[in-house]
Amino acid sequence: MSNALAMGNRPTMLNAVQLVQTLTEGASSDVDRARRIYRWVIQNVGHDSSAARRIGDPSRHSIDELIRYGRGSCAVYAHVTEQLMRMAGLEVKSVVGWARVGEAGTPAQSHSWNLVKLNGAWHVVDATWGAGYVDGGRFVKEPSDVYFMMPPVQAALSHFDPKDQTGVQASIGMNATLFNRIPDSALNLSAQGFSATQLFEVAKQRQEFVEFYDHQPGDYQVIKAQPSRHIRSGTQEFVLKSNQFEELFAVQGRQWVPFKREANGQHSLRFSAKPGELTLMGRRKGSAEYEGLLGYQVR
């Protein structure tokens, strides 16, 4: 092992060849192979800025060294993911670009992730974001599959590739200026059901996105709703699907207008919105409290 990675190693780890063989044994498809490798990386590599400075360019170290060290920045996550997936026979490459992690107008941060070709199409895989997040300088481990096999058009809400290797950015009119106008909430809205195309149009028109209250993607899905925060008074229609929330309401002041709930978990409402604040709220099964889902300003 090189001197740079001499400390903190994990000698009991399998080498890369053994690891890939173990992870992919019995895999049913390329997607299954890729997912198994992705999940191993997000579970076994820790985000560590000081370690990243010691490592420098991860390509200067062998894959076995990086696996045993088990720490680093996004460059290490992307490099380890690329090497392991390539050893598993997958077509994969790393991307160096920018990521949107703040409010609209704040500078995007440099970031690294992967493109993996599965079922004949390129998908975005971001093991760094899949492993967890940094809060106040401390890495919080929170493994998630959300960032595995992201469609490039959806990923373009939060990941900007200066080389546009998939061609998707050009096809939707994405450039660095537009990317800088997209807040980090856009990816959450996309996960809740808003189409990336809808959200790009909001950004192009320099409008604010609908207010999003922090929920997991499985809590509810938007079938029909306006993606911009400012909407016109008059007839509005909302359709959300959720098996988590038993009741949904559109709330304006003291007026609580109930959604109609259908047997398939779909909740729908068509009503006349008045100028002022409008909040879509829901009550979970077994709970007496109501939670905000989406927030609008009616003009």
Side-chain angles (χ1 to χ4, degrees):
M1 178 177 290
S2 63
N3 291 334
L5 303 185
M7 295 179 63
N9 61 340
R10 297 182 291 176
T12 59
M13 293 292 293
L14 300 173
N15 63 39
V17 173
Q18 294 169 328
L19 177 61
V20 171
Q21 290 175 342
T22 300
L23 290 175
T24 60
E25 183 178 3
S28 58
S29 64
D30 284 348
V31 172
D32 192 14
R33 291 183 184 86
R35 182 183 292 108
R36 292 182 184 200
I37 291 171
Y38 167 84
R39 287 178 174 173
W40 184 90
V41 173
I42 66 176
Q43 289 281 0
N44 291 277
V45 178
H47 194 282
D48 187 327
S49 298
S50 61
R53 288 190 290 271
R54 293 183 63 197
I55 292 170
D57 181 357
S59 65
R60 296 190 301 111
H61 308 279
S62 73
I63 183 63
D64 288 335
E65 288 178 318
L66 294 172
I67 288 173
R68 286 194 291 266
Y69 196 54
R71 302 198 300 276
S73 65
C74 58
V76 170
Y77 279 95
H79 185 74
V80 170
T81 299
E82 178 183 3
Q83 296 304 309
L84 294 181
M85 287 190 177
R86 182 168 287 123
M87 292 172 68
L90 302 172
E91 189 174 353
V92 57
K93 49 191 171 184
S94 294
V95 179
V96 179
W98 295 288
R100 165 76 32 227
V101 291
E103 292 302 313
T106 58
Q109 296 182 4
S110 60
H111 189 51
S112 297
W113 63 93
N114 298 101
L115 289 173
V116 186
K117 199 167 192 179
L118 299 167
N119 297 330
W122 288 104
H123 298 271
V124 171
V125 171
D126 190 336
T128 309
W129 285 18
Y133 58 94
V134 177
D135 182 16
R138 183 177 65 89
F139 175 65
V140 179
K141 191 177 183 64
E142 192 174 282
S144 169
D145 279 352
V146 170
Y147 306 105
F148 174 73
M149 282 189 71
M150 296 171 65
V153 67
Q154 180 190 31
L157 292 166
S158 55
H159 294 65
F160 185 78
D161 177 6
K163 297 181 179 179
D164 193 15
Q165 297 177 70
T166 65
V168 165
Q169 293 171 182
S171 71
I172 59 176
M174 173 63 73
N175 55 40
T177 301
L178 177 59
F179 183 74
N180 199 46
R181 291 207 297 266
I182 299 175
D184 59 358
S185 62
L187 191 60
N188 292 326
L189 291 171
S190 178
Q192 296 299 144
F194 287 99
S195 75
T197 302
Q198 285 180 302
L199 298 172
F200 287 131
E201 286 304 313
V202 173
K204 288 177 182 178
Q205 295 171 20
R206 297 177 179 271
Q207 298 177 2
E208 292 181 58
F209 286 101
V210 57
E211 185 176 359
F212 171 77
Y213 298 85
D214 193 19
H215 288 281
Q216 296 298 316
D219 284 350
Y220 69 91
Q221 181 184 11
V222 173
I223 306 299
K224 185 172 184 179
Q226 294 293 334
S228 57
R229 173 162 172 72
H230 298 281
I231 60 177
R232 293 182 178 181
S233 60
T235 302
Q236 292 289 338
E237 186 174 2
F238 301 97
V239 181
L240 279 68
K241 187 172 183 178
S242 175
N243 291 315
Q244 302 296 320
F245 289 96
E246 191 168 41
E247 293 182 308
L248 265 63
F249 290 87
V251 181
Q252 285 201 287
R254 295 182 179 180
Q255 183 183 25
W256 288 59
V257 183
F259 280 64
K260 179 182 178 181
R261 184 181 181 186
E262 301 173 12
N264 62 357
Q266 190 162 290
H267 304 251
S268 59
L269 174 65
R270 183 180 176 88
F271 83 118
S272 182
K274 301 175 182 178
E277 294 287 337
L278 166 63
T279 306
L280 303 188
M281 303 190 73
R283 182 181 65 81
R284 295 178 188 268
K285 297 177 181 178
S287 174
E289 297 184 358
Y290 290 86
E291 303 174 35
L293 304 180
L294 299 172
Y296 294 94
Q297 179 67 45
V298 183
R299 293 176 170 175

